[in-house]
Amino acid sequence: MSHSLRPILVGLPLAAGIGLALPAQAADTVRFGVPSWPGITVKTEIASQLLAPLGYQSKTDDIGLQVIYQGMESGDVDVFLGGWLPAQEPMLTPMEDKGSVTRIANNVDGAQMTLAVPEYVYEQGVTSFEDLDEHRDMFDGKIHGFGAGSAASEILNKAIDNDSWGLGDWQLVDTSTVGMLSAARDAVSREEPIVWVGWTPHWMNLELPMRYLDDSKNLFGEGNGASQVLTLMSSEYADDNPNLTAFFENFSFTAEQQSWMIKAFGLDEKELDTVATTWIEDHPDRVEEMLDGVTTTDGDAAWPVVKEALSLED
């Protein structure tokens, strides 16, 4: 696998990790569940760097998605910053119904997943799902996906089975995230047609000249695949820590900002702490907003403390 193409899908289910051998938690410790997805990894590091001057110790457990949900239910995981909906709804809803997991806030503004084409194809008139079958020969009747069993794969296979938008005689080419984006990059380098499953936030939005197709049938969900990336907390932990709950209610980013994080860490392979520190230093106004109404563990206003500790400028 090429290290220049090590992106991991943010927010969609991966295989579960094995076991939860987690140590007992100390007071003022925040335990994050972190799957191997660049965007969630960087956001968690940003949160950790902001919480440290406030008196909180952060611990990150690199575990699979199902284990993260199990950990929030059991109280072994406190916070998860990657609750991608609607894709993870089947995992989240049962735990919400039991009252063990709480939605805190959407932490990415503008997340979306649907089909994408290069900008030059869009300019040729392929602007919607409705246009695809009319141009079937252009694409050789193929849609490129990132893996069998994914939410996107299930959506597209159902669309093919139902002949939605005339896709009944199309083929879904499911490889992997790396394989799909390699195909997209190769096609773009030759200015050839290709249609693939795109999403934001992701570095593809910064690196590839791409446009998302309109879909009035909302095959990928309401709002043409509009998505939320939720901050989730163990309900008991959220109830016991209103100050942290206030922080995570404010903790959010634009899709473009997280796409930059994913590119810097997942594609350019910059050091994690450097990527997080750079974002914090470049966005002091946003950091101040995140700390509105938040205090240190001693009860002091958070922003002046963080501003001094991290040498941030207004």
Side-chain angles (χ1 to χ4, degrees):
M1 180 184 298
S2 168
H3 289 291
S4 65
L5 279 173
R6 68 172 196 175
I8 307 296
L9 176 59
V10 179
L12 296 184
L14 295 181
I18 304 299
L20 259 182
L22 304 179
Q25 177 171 296
D28 299 328
T29 296
V30 188
R31 181 173 293 145
F32 293 92
V34 186
S36 56
W37 307 335
I40 309 305
T41 302
V42 175
K43 282 190 296 189
T44 301
E45 177 64 17
I46 290 173
S48 299
Q49 290 190 18
L50 295 179
L51 290 173
L54 304 184
Y56 294 99
Q57 180 182 1
S58 298
K59 293 188 178 297
T60 59
D61 293 301
D62 300 322
I63 49 182
L65 185 65
Q66 291 183 356
V67 181
I68 289 172
Y69 274 95
Q70 293 165 5
M72 285 189 291
E73 184 173 33
S74 66
D76 292 312
V77 173
D78 303 320
V79 182
F80 176 43
L81 299 177
W84 186 292
L85 297 186
Q88 292 176 22
E89 196 81 53
M91 302 178 69
L92 174 59
T93 299
M95 295 187 181
E96 283 187 309
D97 291 344
K98 289 187 287 187
S100 57
V101 176
T102 298
R103 303 186 189 201
I104 302 301
N106 175 37
N107 64 57
V108 177
D109 181 25
Q112 181 182 17
M113 182 176 70
T114 189
L115 293 182
V117 296
E119 189 166 21
Y120 51 83
V121 172
Y122 192 91
E123 291 172 350
Q124 292 172 17
V126 182
T127 64
S128 70
F129 282 46
E130 187 176 8
D131 299 322
L132 285 172
D133 201 43
E134 180 183 345
H135 297 85
R136 184 183 184 282
D137 291 344
M138 176 189 294
F139 300 102
D140 196 24
K142 295 179 179 178
I143 298 172
H144 293 260
F146 55 82
S150 67
S153 178
E154 293 178 6
I155 289 167
L156 290 170
N157 279 321
K158 182 177 179 181
I160 291 170
D161 290 343
N162 294 336
D163 196 25
S164 300
W165 293 125
L167 298 177
D169 58 348
W170 284 59
Q171 175 189 359
L172 177 59
V173 181
D174 255 334
T175 54
S176 64
T177 304
V178 172
M180 182 188 73
L181 292 174
S182 293
R185 274 185 153 182
D186 289 345
V188 167
S189 70
R190 298 189 296 269
E191 291 199 8
E192 294 177 351
I194 187 170
V195 55
W196 74 94
V197 179
W199 62 88
T200 184
H202 194 273
W203 61 255
M204 72 176 86
N205 300 275
L206 304 178
E207 290 288 297
L208 298 176
M210 58 183 283
R211 298 286 295 271
Y212 292 99
L213 299 182
D214 293 329
D215 174 20
S216 60
K217 294 182 180 180
N218 290 322
L219 297 184
F220 279 83
E222 293 298 318
N224 194 22
S227 302
Q228 291 183 308
V229 185
L230 297 181
T231 298
L232 303 174
M233 294 180 72
S234 167
S235 296
E236 183 175 354
Y237 187 82
D239 291 342
D240 291 343
N241 293 276
N243 188 53
L244 287 171
T245 301
F247 170 75
F248 285 111
E249 286 174 346
N250 299 337
F251 188 76
S252 66
F253 307 85
T254 65
E256 184 177 6
Q257 287 170 350
Q258 189 165 348
S259 292
W260 173 84
M261 298 174 198
I262 296 167
K263 179 179 183 296
F265 179 63
L267 181 64
D268 298 339
E269 300 187 10
K270 295 181 180 179
E271 293 296 325
L272 174 60
D273 58 346
T274 300
V275 175
T277 298
T278 298
W279 188 91
I280 290 171
E281 291 176 346
D282 288 348
H283 299 84
D285 292 344
R286 185 70 196 97
V287 171
E288 183 176 6
E289 292 172 354
M290 289 179 176
L291 297 174
D292 183 39
V294 180
T295 69
T296 67
T297 54
D298 293 329
D300 298 322
W303 167 240
V305 173
V306 170
K307 179 182 177 182
E308 180 178 0
L310 302 184
S311 301
L312 302 181
E313 298 181 1
D314 291 325

